Amino acid sequence: MIIKTNRNQYYSDCGIEQKNYEGRFGLHSLKLVLKYIDLYLEQDLKLAELAQQINFSRSYLCYRFKQTTGISLHQYIIRQRVYRAKGLLESSSMSLSEIALCCGFYNHSHLTRAFKRLLGVSPSAFRVRMTNTMPAPEGDWSYTVDSTTIAF
């Protein structure tokens, strides 16, 4: 029996498409992980718990998640927490500390660092922009200056 070190090469030698090999961490496994993250986003998510949900090792889960999605599992979780915080900033009057805890951040400054890194603006500045934004006027509010159209 010959042991192949490269599984992809082994499967292609056998006439099996690489997609069949990748099926072990396929759409079903990815959906389970994403659903688990979404359900428990406000809690301290442990990598071991995520891996246990789909019966993978922690390292294999991280490797396959990044290979499948293009970002690391940690980056995905932080991104989802920031987007949830963004939604709460837009729709509620909760304090930043309350929002941070509701979204799984350790504290207000942890939220602020992640929010600013991802969206380029602090949560408080984002909230100020949201409250000072006026709805767009109806009709055509544009004019042309030096063949450049400026729309409002």
Side-chain angles (χ1 to χ4, degrees):
M1 172 185 231
I2 299 173
I3 299 174
K4 299 276 186 173
T5 56
N6 185 339
R7 288 184 179 179
N8 292 338
Q9 183 64 41
Y10 172 77
Y11 284 110
S12 64
D13 289 349
C14 295
I16 301 172
E17 292 182 21
Q18 186 176 355
K19 290 180 182 177
N20 290 340
Y21 167 67
E22 292 179 354
R24 185 162 182 236
F25 185 84
L27 188 58
H28 179 71
S29 299
L30 182 61
K31 283 182 178 179
L32 286 174
V33 170
L34 297 180
K35 184 164 182 81
Y36 187 87
I37 290 169
D38 189 49
L39 287 172
Y40 300 103
L41 193 61
E42 72 281 352
Q43 297 178 10
D44 184 20
L45 292 170
K46 303 284 187 210
L47 190 55
E49 293 170 3
L50 285 170
Q52 184 180 10
Q53 295 301 311
I54 54 173
N55 297 319
F56 288 162
S57 69
R58 292 178 303 181
S59 59
Y60 186 73
L61 170 62
C62 289
Y63 168 74
R64 293 298 294 164
F65 190 90
K66 181 158 185 167
Q67 191 176 35
T68 304
T69 64
I71 63 171
S72 73
L73 189 54
H74 178 72
Q75 288 172 329
Y76 176 79
I77 292 169
I78 294 297
R79 186 176 290 183
Q80 291 306 109
R81 287 177 172 164
V82 167
Y83 289 142
R84 186 173 286 180
K86 181 180 174 222
L88 288 172
L89 286 167
E90 292 172 336
S91 65
S92 76
S93 61
M94 295 169 63
S95 72
L96 292 179
S97 296
E98 290 173 323
I99 290 174
L101 295 177
C102 286
C103 295
F105 290 104
Y106 296 113
N107 54 35
H108 171 272
S109 64
H110 186 209
L111 165 64
T112 301
R113 282 191 312 272
F115 199 95
K116 193 167 187 176
R117 189 178 317 120
L118 190 61
L119 301 178
V121 63
S122 70
S124 55
F126 177 80
R127 179 175 266 171
V128 168
R129 284 185 191 172
M130 291 306 299
T131 57
N132 292 337
T133 317
M134 293 177 44
E138 294 182 23
D140 184 20
W141 288 73
S142 62
Y143 64 95
T144 304
V145 176
D146 298 329
S147 71
T148 303
T149 303
I150 301 171
F152 292 96

